[in-house]
Amino acid sequence: MTTDLQLKPRLVSRALLLRFVSIVGSSIGFYLPLSVVPLFAKQTGSDSGAGLATVALLLATVAAELVTPRLIARVGYRWALAVGLVLLGAPTAVLAFSSDVRVIVAVSVVRGIGFAIAIVAGGAVTALLIPADRRGEGLALVGIVGGIPSLLALPAGVWAAAHWGFTPVFVATTVATLLALLSVPGLPRHAATRREDGGHGVVAGLRNAVLTRPATVFAVAAAAVGVVVTFLPLATSDQPAWIAAGALLAQQAAATVARWFAGRVGDRHGPGRLLVPGVVLSAIGMAAIAYTATPAAVLGGAVVLGAGFGALQNATLVLMYARVPAGGESAVSAIWNAAYDLGMAAGALGAGLLIGSVGYAATFAVAAVVLLPALAVVRRDCRP
C-alpha cells in the first residue's frame, strides 16, 4: 500500500541545499553588522550619522526591492543573486579603512541595494526549487535556515565589536557573504526574458488585488513587530534587562516555529485558513505586551505575537506565489519583502510619533487595535 509520505515529492534537493548556503551568507552579511554600523558611526562623534546609516540602509533596500525584478528579467536569477551578494558584502570592508560619516552612509546605501537584490532574486529561485504542493513546508524550512543565522548574528556582531573591535566584524561580514558566491553556479539556470518582467512584474502585481491583499495583511502585522522591536527595550527600561531581551528572543523563536507548523498545515488545508488566526494571535500578543509593567504579560505576549506573525509570514507568501503564473516569482518576492520592510518602518515611525503623547503602554494597545481592520481585508480576500 502506498503511503502519503511516498507520494510526496522530495523537498530537499541538491540545488536547495546550495541555495541554503546563499541564504545563510546573505543573512550573516545583513545582520552581523546591522547594529554595529550605528555604533561605529556614533563612536566617530556623529549621533545623527548613526541613525542616518540605518535609515539609508532600509530606504535603499525597499527602493531596490521594487526594481530588482527588472534586473532579473535582464540577467537572470543567478547573475542577479551574485550581484546582490557582492554589493552586500564587499563594501563592508571599506569601513575597516574609513570612519567618515559620508562613507558610512554610502556603504549602507550600497549594502541595502545588495541585500534587496539578494533576497528578491534568491526568494524567486527558492520558489522554483520547492515542489508546488509542499511550498508551505518548504518556505517554512527556508525561513528557519535564514532565521537562525540572523537571530545569532545580530547579537554576535555587537559582542564581537565590543571585545575585538569593529574591523573584525566588517572583515567577517565581507568574507562570509562573498564565500556564499561559491554556491551560486550550482543553482539551476533560468532564461530570463523581457516578457517575463513586463507580463507580471512589480507594477502589474501592485495593481492586482489578489497579491496586494495578502501583502497588506502581512505589512500590518510587520508594523506591530516594528513597534515591539524598536520600543520594547525602552518601555521596560525600569525592569531587569533580561525581560526585553527574553521577549525579543521569544518573539523571534515563536515566529520561526510557527512558520514551520503553518507551512505543514497550509499545505494540507490551504494557507488562506491561517490568515484569521494569524491576525487574531498578533493582536492578542500586542495587547498583552501593552501591560509593560508585568513581565509575564510581556513575555507571554511576545510568544503569542511571534506565533501569529510567523503564521502570517508563511501563509501570505505561499498565497502570493500560488496566485502568479510561472515567471512571476520575482515580483511576488519583491512585493512581499517590501511589505515586510515598509510595515516595520511604518510601525516604528508611527509609534515614535505617538509615544510622546500617550506613553508606551497605550501605544502598544493602539498597535493591537490597528491590527483588527486586517480581518476585513482577509474576509474580502476569501470571497469567491
Side-chain angles (χ1 to χ4, degrees), residues 341-372:
D341 295 332
L342 287 174
M344 289 195 69
L349 178 61
L353 296 175
L354 191 60
I355 283 171
S357 301
V358 302
Y360 292 109
T363 298
F364 291 156
V366 169
V369 173
V370 169
L371 279 160
L372 298 179

Side-chain angles (χ1 to χ4, degrees), residues 70-89:
R70 289 188 175 274
L71 173 65
I72 295 172
R74 290 180 178 273
V75 304
Y77 290 133
R78 291 199 303 186
W79 274 107
L81 178 56
V83 169
L85 289 171
V86 170
L87 293 179
L88 175 62

Side-chain angles (χ1 to χ4, degrees), residues 133-141 257-269 274 310-311 314-315 318:
D133 56 353
R134 299 190 70 181
R135 183 169 282 159
E137 186 180 358
L139 290 176
L141 178 60
V257 173
R259 286 189 75 173
W260 173 255
F261 282 102
R264 295 181 66 86
V265 172
D267 284 343
R268 293 182 179 182
H269 305 290
L274 297 169
N314 186 277
V318 173

Side-chain angles (χ1 to χ4, degrees), residues 30 73 75 84 93 158 161 165 216 227 329 360-361 376 384:
F30 184 77
V75 304
V158 176
T216 300
V227 174
E329 296 86 3
Y360 292 109

Side-chain angles (χ1 to χ4, degrees), residues 26 29 31 48 65 82 87 96 102 119 123 168 170 203 219 221 229 240 243-244 253 270 283 292 299 318 326 336 365:
S26 58
Y31 287 101
S48 61
E65 283 168 348
L87 293 179
R102 292 168 295 183
I119 59 172
F170 298 145
V203 174
V229 170
I243 294 176
T292 55
L299 293 170
V318 173
W336 187 86

Side-chain angles (χ1 to χ4, degrees), residues 3-300:
T3 64
D4 290 340
L5 181 61
Q6 290 173 321
L7 292 174
K8 285 185 177 182
R10 183 180 179 185
L11 179 60
V12 180
S13 61
R14 177 180 178 275
L16 187 59
L17 287 173
L18 288 173
R19 169 64 187 132
F20 287 167
V21 175
S22 57
I23 289 174
V24 172
S26 58
S27 292
I28 294 174
F30 184 77
Y31 287 101
L32 188 65
L34 184 60
S35 294
V36 174
V37 171
L39 291 173
F40 182 60
K42 186 174 183 179
Q43 182 175 282
T44 65
S46 175
D47 291 337
S48 61
L52 188 57
T54 301
V55 171
L57 177 73
L58 294 176
L59 290 180
T61 299
V62 173
E65 283 168 348
L66 298 178
V67 299
T68 294
R70 289 188 175 274
L71 173 65
I72 295 172
R74 290 180 178 273
V75 304
Y77 290 133
R78 291 199 303 186
W79 274 107
L81 178 56
V83 169
L85 289 171
V86 170
L87 293 179
L88 175 62
T92 314
V94 175
L95 299 179
F97 303 97
S98 176
S99 59
D100 186 278
V101 172
R102 292 168 295 183
V103 173
I104 294 173
V105 172
V107 167
S108 297
V109 169
V110 177
R111 279 175 40 78
I113 294 172
F115 183 63
I117 296 172
I119 59 172
V120 171
V125 169
T126 302
L128 296 175
L129 297 175
I130 297 173
D133 56 353
R134 299 190 70 181
R135 183 169 282 159
E137 186 180 358
L139 290 176
L141 178 60
V142 169
I144 293 173
V145 171
I148 292 176
S150 63
L151 185 65
L152 298 176
L154 190 60
V158 176
W159 182 90
H163 288 78
W164 301 330
F166 294 106
T167 297
V169 175
F170 298 145
V171 172
T173 299
T174 300
V175 172
T177 309
L178 296 184
L179 280 177
L181 288 169
L182 298 175
S183 68
V184 174
L187 297 176
R189 292 183 178 275
H190 176 77
T193 63
R194 290 182 181 274
R195 179 183 175 185
E196 178 179 307
D197 180 66
H200 31 266
V202 172
V203 174
L206 291 173
R207 295 173 179 169
N208 190 348
V210 299
L211 294 184
T212 56
R213 283 195 290 259
T216 300
V217 172
F218 181 55
V220 173
V225 173
V227 174
V228 171
V229 170
T230 305
F231 294 107
L232 184 60
L234 298 176
T236 58
S237 59
D238 58 341
Q239 301 181 36
W242 65 265
I243 294 176
L248 293 177
L249 179 61
Q251 187 273 325
Q252 180 65 30
T256 301
V257 173
R259 286 189 75 173
W260 173 255
F261 282 102
R264 295 181 66 86
V265 172
D267 284 343
R268 293 182 179 182
H269 305 290
R273 295 189 177 186
L274 297 169
L275 297 182
V276 169
V279 172
V280 171
L281 286 174
S282 298
I284 292 173
M286 278 302 308
I289 293 173
Y291 292 92
T292 55
T294 308
V298 172
L299 293 170

Side-chain angles (χ1 to χ4, degrees), residues 314-333:
N314 186 277
T316 54
L317 186 57
V318 173
L319 273 176
M320 292 170 69
Y321 276 134
R323 292 174 175 182
V324 296
E329 296 86 3
S330 60
V332 167
S333 183

